[in-house]
Amino acid sequence: MTEEISLFLFGDSITVGQLVSPHKTWAVMLSQYLSEQLAPRRLLLNNASINGNTTRQGLERMPYDIQSHRPNYVMTQFG
């Protein structure tokens, strides 16, 4: 069985990539790069970011959106 590494991105418009084509966001580019670097391990990258969220809103949704999934890594970025 191939090892799976889970990385969750968590933030606001900075992490979503507001006003950027979805396939050109840094989250997609990061996913592509890490998938190549980590092969044959499997990467699960989940962008749990919400455009317009405040830090307080992020803290309120962190238990469900992040902690309940028990990811290996979390990158947090709020502006």
Side-chain angles (χ1 to χ4, degrees):
M1 184 172 182
T2 304
E3 179 186 3
E4 181 175 271
I5 298 172
S6 60
L7 168 61
F8 275 51
L9 306 181
F10 187 63
D12 56 13
S13 60
I14 294 170
T15 315
V16 169
Q18 182 179 12
L19 304 176
V20 178
S21 296
H23 68 285
K24 291 185 177 184
T25 64
W26 70 267
V28 170
M29 289 189 256
L30 176 66
S31 176
Q32 292 168 344
Y33 174 78
L34 289 177
S35 291
E36 293 169 5
Q37 298 301 311
L38 294 172
R41 292 169 289 182
R42 185 171 168 234
L43 174 68
L44 168 65
L45 190 141
N46 184 327
N47 192 350
S49 303
I50 296 179
N51 189 24
N53 251 189
T54 64
T55 306
R56 178 162 191 90
Q57 289 169 317
L59 288 171
E60 290 170 353
R61 62 187 182 84
M62 184 177 261
Y64 178 77
D65 287 356
I66 303 298
Q67 293 169 324
S68 68
H69 298 283
R70 302 179 57 91
N72 298 106
Y73 302 96
V74 177
M75 292 179 70
T76 305
Q77 188 175 27
F78 284 87

